Amino acid sequence: MGVNLRGRSYLKLLDFTSEEIRYLLDLSKNFKDLKRTHTPHRYLEGKNIVLLFEKTSTRTRCSFEVAGLDLGMGVTYLDPGSSQMGKKESIADTARVLGRMYDGIEYRGFSQDLVQELSDYAGVPVWNGLTDQFHPTQMLADLLTIEEKLGHLKGVNFTYMGDARNNMGNSLMVACAKMGLNFTACAPKSLWPEQWLIDECKKIAADNNCEVRLTEDVKEGTTGADVIYTDIWVSMGEPDEVWEERIKLLKPYQVNKELMANAKPEAIFMHCLPSFHDTKTTIGADIAKKFGVNEMEVTDEVFESKQSVVFDEAENRMHTIKAVVYATLC
């Protein structure tokens, strides 16, 4: 029986089977081929989508806009100041209004409960562009990149470094468990995912012949890895005061040349971006001035190395988001 995702919202990978994720990855490959060969694919002409952003973004916004336009749709972007959602109008009312005008709604912001409420009331597919708990569109891009670079997903040894309790740590653990990758969170215990999610992912992993591990030991966590992945140490929306604490806590988990040497020689480095690998950003320069740290979660040497696939990963956001939009609207 074929996979049919028409009318479904895409809020977190826990809601999807391994077969459904596989379908979205294969569809992404097809759309990537069409894009690379300049083959028109305006399959959703006449439809319209709206993008609700409470948190700004480069990759997520551009990926959804290009995906929508390539598929022939109209796209409306609402920045944090352009909507009454949650201020003068309830989430439920906003959802019911937008659901009458648009065929699909993307939300990027803070609360997973909020994106769920949008989906409950909209009557059209809702796509999670990021919440504090999960980042499911990034997951498809990451899985596609790993498969392109390593040739397979099942059995891959995947290590995530740093803050494993954020949306990336949560989502990558789910994605690996669903698709048969051995997941290791290498992080201080205070920044491990919540226990309920660990338990759920261990059950899923057992069904897919892989494992979920958590360790504070950098050597143990990175030895024999096929993929080393990290993210920024302080997420958008967290207070500036967190920086000093996180730098002290996570400095031992910085991805550098010595750490990469623990992994397999052909291992790849991944990052969802943006990255503080130098001082060429306002925040990077400010952190360097305050704390004397010129490189944070990853060194510039690793970020710019041949092992780094971060820009292939960023491009794949566009192809995988296109697959999600098409699959749920077609």
Side-chain angles (χ1 to χ4, degrees):
M1 190 177 193
V3 172
N4 183 359
L5 302 181
R6 180 180 174 84
R8 292 266 301 274
S9 286
Y10 185 76
L11 307 183
K12 59 186 185 298
L13 281 193
L14 285 171
D15 300 333
F16 290 79
T17 67
S18 301
E19 292 73 22
E20 288 169 337
I21 297 168
R22 178 73 265 165
Y23 168 75
L24 289 170
L25 290 173
D26 291 341
L27 189 58
S28 301
K29 293 178 184 179
N30 182 54
F31 277 124
K32 188 169 185 174
D33 289 340
L34 293 174
K35 184 74 172 177
R36 291 286 181 87
T37 57
H38 305 288
T39 304
H41 44 283
R42 298 173 65 84
Y43 302 149
L44 297 178
E45 201 148 15
K47 292 186 181 295
N48 295 281
I49 61 173
V50 61
L51 314 179
L52 299 177
F53 277 65
E54 288 191 310
K55 286 185 179 181
T56 57
S57 168
T58 299
R59 280 151 297 281
T60 302
R61 177 181 176 178
C62 293
S63 295
F64 269 100
E65 288 195 344
V66 172
L69 295 171
D70 279 357
L71 290 167
M73 296 190 292
V75 180
T76 300
Y77 170 73
L78 295 178
D79 64 28
S82 298
S83 166
Q84 300 300 337
M85 183 178 67
K87 302 168 191 169
K88 294 182 180 179
E89 187 169 54
S90 70
I91 306 305
D93 288 355
T94 298
R96 286 179 285 192
V97 169
L98 295 178
R100 298 290 185 98
M101 298 179 179
Y102 293 94
D103 299 287
I105 301 169
E106 182 272 350
Y107 169 80
R108 178 183 171 93
F110 297 93
S111 170
Q112 186 72 23
D113 290 339
L114 191 152
V115 77
Q116 181 65 59
E117 189 174 3
L118 280 173
S119 178
D120 290 343
Y121 285 93
V124 297
V126 173
W127 310 296
N128 179 4
L130 174 142
T131 64
D132 288 344
Q133 192 171 20
F134 293 110
H135 196 357
T137 56
Q138 180 69 48
M139 293 307 98
L140 291 179
D142 293 341
L143 291 169
L144 180 61
T145 304
I146 293 168
E147 192 163 65
E148 287 176 339
K149 300 302 178 182
L150 302 182
H152 62 103
L153 292 176
K154 289 191 178 296
V156 164
N157 295 320
F158 182 105
T159 297
Y160 178 81
M161 305 293 302
D163 181 0
R165 188 178 283 257
N166 68 8
N167 49 29
M168 288 302 300
N170 290 341
S171 298
L172 286 165
M173 184 168 62
V174 174
C176 288
K178 289 275 186 179
M179 300 309 290
L181 293 78
N182 297 310
F183 176 84
T184 299
C186 190
K189 196 166 186 177
S190 61
L191 294 178
W192 287 3
E194 293 182 41
Q195 192 60 49
W196 74 266
L197 186 59
I198 294 172
D199 293 342
E200 180 69 18
C201 286
K202 284 187 174 182
K203 290 178 186 175
I204 296 169
D207 291 337
N208 290 303
N209 299 312
C210 59
E211 64 176 349
V212 169
R213 297 191 307 152
L214 299 101
T215 181
E216 295 185 280
D217 189 293
V218 172
K219 182 76 171 178
E220 178 188 349
T222 57
T223 298
D226 296 297
V227 180
I228 300 290
Y229 199 120
T230 194
D231 189 15
I232 56 174
W233 289 342
V234 176
S235 299
M236 189 186 303
E238 292 188 273
D240 290 343
E241 299 77 49
V242 175
W243 276 109
E244 184 174 10
E245 173 194 342
R246 291 289 174 80
I247 289 170
K248 289 179 181 177
L249 188 61
L250 292 175
K251 193 67 165 65
Y253 298 90
Q254 181 190 67
V255 179
N256 51 41
K257 183 179 179 181
E258 292 72 31
L259 185 148
M260 289 298 295
N262 295 331
K264 292 179 182 176
E266 65 275 14
I268 58 176
F269 168 73
M270 301 181 71
H271 193 305
C272 57
L273 302 181
S275 169
F276 297 123
H277 58 97
D278 55 27
T279 58
K280 295 177 183 177
T281 63
T282 303
I283 293 177
D286 185 53
I287 294 301
K289 184 178 179 181
K290 286 181 179 178
F291 305 112
V293 178
N294 295 325
E295 303 164 308
M296 283 182 268
E297 75 278 3
V298 59
T299 62
D300 193 59
E301 181 179 27
V302 171
F303 187 88
E304 297 292 354
S305 71
K306 291 182 179 179
Q307 289 175 284
S308 176
V309 298
V310 298
F311 296 110
D312 298 290
E313 187 182 354
E315 179 196 337
N316 281 339
R317 291 295 305 285
M318 172 177 61
H319 307 302
T320 51
I321 283 173
K322 191 178 294 183
V324 170
V325 171
Y326 174 79
T328 54
L329 292 185
C330 68

